[in-house]
Amino acid sequence: MQHIPPDETIRAALQKSHARLRKQHELVVEFGVASLTLSDLDELLTHACAVVAKGMQTRFAKVLTPLEDRDEFILSHGVGWDDADIGSARVGGDEASPAGYAIATYRPVISNHLGQEHRFRTPSLLKKYGIERAINVPIRGASVPFGVLEADSGDGDDFMESDLVFMEGIANVISMAVERMAAGAEANRPSPYSESVLNASPDCVKILSADGEIEFMNDAGMCLMQLGELGHIQGQEWARLWPEESKAVVKGAIETVACGESTRFEAFCPTAQGEPKWWDVTVAPIFGTGGDVDKIIAVSRDITERHHHEAQLLSLIDAQHTKLSESDFYLEEIHHRVKNSLHLVNTLLLLQANLAADEAVKLQLQTAAGRVVTIASVHERLYQNAETQEVLASDYLAALLGDLGKALADRNIVLEADPFILPPERMAPLGLVISELITNALKYGKGTIGVSVKDAQDHALITVTDEGDGFPESYPKPSGTGLGMRLVKSYSGYGSTAISVDRAVEKSTIKVRFKL
């Protein structure tokens, strides 16, 4: 029986997506904290490009700033591009350009098929580097747009809508940092963080003292947590806002950050009005001038909807598991009954043998009874629970052929099998194919039967020989011969092209390609 675990594919996709989102969340927080200490604009923008490239898992990222005539952008800062292009390469600023469209509409643009786009032309700069995918996000300025933050890729997976959230987060931090630098706030900064920067974030952002007391929560956080005024929570321990089941992980995060390390966790915390919420939280230190942890920044992203979707999906997976388990149980019960029936036939044959007066008949009945028992063991070998683990093909076939030899004939069966790993779901099909080929050799051939199973990477090559006179010219028929050969074609995975007869050798030789 073939067992297909769709849940494993789904779980792997979920894990990959969640890992990407978590990493992007951490990078936004880390960049936000770093921006509070940077006073050089060039350093800030180059660092932003490096963060974008890391979060988007691509080589190319850049900041495009408009030239005075507004008709073109210049690649002012970036990573992945040739040094000669940074500070000199230009792209169009009109709406036929992805960057120009983002500035004109003040909306992000995502394109995973630039070469097939009807909305935009592909800038020559992107053609030069073989870029196929791009995300453009406008960077807000004080009165006019500052520029465009762009991530580009020539290979890999498509960019997703969720990537826009990450890119917009970085663009917002750049915008606030540029505003702070322009206002000269860095020269005489009264606090180690900028409330305007934090209020630009759509996430719940808290500034805590080094021992975990709340000093500030941004506007989005107050709204998400359904709080009235900041004064109601100011000075309270952050951990006290969490329910009992989450307090331990929150306190552990504060202890970790107090040692100068960043951390992340997911936990449940309802709003002030009791609305259930799940949060993805990144906690990082803000260092003072002496290098000690002066403040703590905690950024919480509302993942309630995602958590509900995951719970629903896992519920469906569990239900599917239950159905598969019930199906496996019923099939196992059927095989168990077949085995019991065979043992019953064995018992009846032995009883009949005891009643037989003729010694020759008694011997024949006893022999038949013994063969029924061995057939039962072959059946059990073929239909054992193959989902438990992978096995070596050579081990499985050696045991199977031993049972077949006892059950079907006194002729010698010689096995030569490569020690490749056999997928669990292909155990029974391989056993059935080889059993059918050996049965044919026992019925129509003579002498020693040789079974060879060679590993051919994506398939196994099965060769069965005997000392007979060979197959007739009409064998195998294109339309299939008997039921046995039709089963061989079906189980092989290659259909009518699976079977071939080697007429260049003296012995009867049949070959079957078997898909692994």
Side-chain angles (χ1 to χ4, degrees):
M1 182 189 68
Q2 186 171 1
H3 175 59
I4 302 174
D7 54 305
E8 294 302 323
T9 302
I10 296 172
R11 288 181 192 273
L14 279 174
Q15 290 172 354
K16 182 179 179 180
S17 176
H18 294 170
R20 183 183 179 97
L21 289 172
R22 284 197 296 267
K23 186 61 179 178
Q24 289 178 345
H25 186 196
E26 293 173 5
L27 289 171
V28 171
V29 174
E30 292 170 0
F31 180 64
V33 174
S35 73
L36 301 175
T37 62
L38 293 174
S39 58
D40 183 87
L41 181 59
D42 290 332
E43 184 180 357
L44 173 80
L45 296 178
T46 299
H47 182 46
C49 293
V51 172
V52 166
K54 187 174 183 180
M56 299 295 288
Q57 298 178 356
T58 184
R59 174 186 169 191
F60 302 98
K62 61 178 177 289
V63 171
L64 299 169
T65 53
L67 297 173
E68 290 184 5
D69 56 12
R70 318 300 294 178
D71 289 334
E72 286 186 309
F73 290 97
I74 189 168
L75 196 170
S76 60
H77 303 80
V79 294
W81 315 95
D82 292 342
D83 291 340
D85 286 326
I86 298 176
S88 63
R90 301 186 180 192
V91 299
D94 60 310
E95 291 191 26
S97 163
Y101 184 85
I103 284 288
T105 62
Y106 225 68
R107 295 172 58 188
V109 176
I110 181 170
S111 177
N112 285 309
H113 307 283
L114 283 172
Q116 304 172 24
E117 275 283 4
H118 299 295
R119 296 177 298 171
F120 316 115
R121 64 174 180 274
T122 303
S124 58
L125 175 67
L126 301 189
K127 291 181 180 179
K128 173 183 174 182
Y129 289 88
I131 300 300
E132 297 180 0
R133 286 171 283 283
I135 289 185
N136 293 264
V137 175
I139 303 171
R140 179 171 54 85
S143 57
V144 295
F146 176 81
V148 174
L149 180 64
E150 182 173 332
D152 303 292
S153 175
D155 52 22
D157 297 332
D158 285 356
F159 293 142
M160 302 179 292
E161 293 295 328
S162 57
D163 291 328
L164 292 175
V165 178
F166 166 65
M167 294 281 291
E168 288 177 321
I170 299 296
N172 284 338
V173 173
I174 294 174
S175 178
M176 293 298 99
V178 170
E179 181 181 337
R180 171 175 56 79
M181 292 178 186
E186 182 65 23
N188 187 22
R189 188 158 50 108
S191 65
Y193 59 88
S194 167
E195 292 186 7
S196 62
V197 172
L198 303 182
N199 279 325
S201 173
D203 296 322
C204 178
V205 183
K206 285 81 56 183
I207 297 296
L208 315 174
S209 64
D211 55 2
E213 292 183 355
I214 298 173
E215 294 186 355
F216 171 81
M217 183 181 291
N218 69 339
D219 294 339
M222 297 291 291
C223 180
L224 288 168
M225 288 300 297
Q226 299 180 330
L227 294 166
E229 297 180 7
L230 180 60
H232 294 161
I233 59 170
Q234 218 164 18
Q236 290 189 30
E237 291 184 8
W238 182 41
R240 291 184 60 186
L241 299 183
W242 295 79
E244 286 299 324
E245 63 263 32
S246 303
K247 284 182 178 178
V249 70
V250 175
K251 291 179 179 179
I254 293 174
E255 292 174 359
T256 298
V257 176
C259 297
E261 299 179 12
S262 298
T263 187
R264 191 204 64 81
F265 64 87
E266 291 185 9
F268 172 77
C269 182
T271 67
Q273 297 182 19
E275 183 181 345
K277 293 279 186 181
W278 280 86
W279 305 92
D280 185 334
V281 186
T282 299
V283 193
I286 300 176
F287 296 99
T289 55
D292 297 328
V293 176
D294 184 40
K295 306 287 183 185
I296 296 173
I297 183 171
V299 181
S300 304
R301 176 165 294 175
D302 184 356
I303 59 168
T304 306
E305 184 176 359
R306 190 198 85 189
H307 192 271
H308 286 165
H309 288 164
E310 289 176 7
Q312 292 172 355
L313 182 58
L314 291 176
S315 177
L316 290 173
I317 290 173
D318 289 340
Q320 181 71 8
H321 261 152
T322 300
K323 290 181 180 179
L324 287 173
S325 297
E326 290 176 352
S327 177
D328 289 346
F329 172 77
Y330 293 141
L331 189 59
E332 185 177 346
E333 181 65 19
I334 290 171
H335 296 324
H336 180 69
R337 292 186 181 186
V338 168
K339 186 176 71 171
N340 287 346
S341 297
L342 290 171
H343 280 287
L344 177 60
V345 172
N346 166 259
T347 301
L348 293 174
L349 287 172
L350 289 175
L351 287 174
Q352 189 66 35
N354 291 334
L355 296 175
D358 190 322
E359 287 298 323
V361 172
K362 179 179 291 189
L363 179 61
Q364 289 178 350
L365 289 172
Q366 290 173 340
T367 301
R371 286 184 174 176
V372 168
V373 171
T374 53
I375 289 172
S377 67
V378 170
H379 178 274
E380 185 176 8
R381 180 87 59 190
L382 286 173
Y383 292 102
Q384 61 184 303
N385 187 5
E387 287 78 15
T388 55
Q389 60 182 353
E390 294 180 328
V391 297
L392 282 175
S394 53
D395 293 345
Y396 171 65
L397 294 174
L400 176 65
L401 265 60
D403 292 338
L404 282 171
K406 296 174 186 176
L408 301 178
D410 296 328
R411 283 165 56 188
N412 189 28
I413 302 176
V414 178
L415 172 68
E416 182 183 351
D418 289 344
F420 57 90
I421 294 295
L422 186 63
E425 66 273 12
R426 298 296 281 162
M427 284 175 59
L430 179 63
L432 286 167
V433 167
I434 291 181
S435 297
E436 180 60 32
L437 295 175
I438 290 175
T439 300
N440 276 357
L442 290 170
K443 288 171 63 177
Y444 305 114
K446 61 183 179 181
T448 297
I449 300 172
V451 180
S452 169
V453 183
K454 296 297 182 181
D455 181 13
Q457 301 304 319
D458 63 336
H459 70 278
L461 181 60
I462 304 168
T463 305
V464 175
T465 64
D466 65 70
E467 298 173 7
D469 298 329
F471 295 92
E473 291 296 329
S474 60
Y475 187 90
K477 296 179 181 178
S479 60
T481 52
L483 174 62
M485 283 298 104
R486 291 202 297 272
L487 288 175
V488 169
K489 293 175 183 179
S490 175
Y491 284 128
S492 73
Y494 290 102
S496 60
T497 64
I499 304 173
S500 63
V501 173
D502 189 351
R503 306 183 192 282
V505 295
E506 295 182 0
K507 295 183 178 180
S508 299
T509 303
I510 186 169
K511 296 183 178 182
V512 175
R513 290 190 304 141
F514 181 86
K515 186 174 293 184
L516 298 178

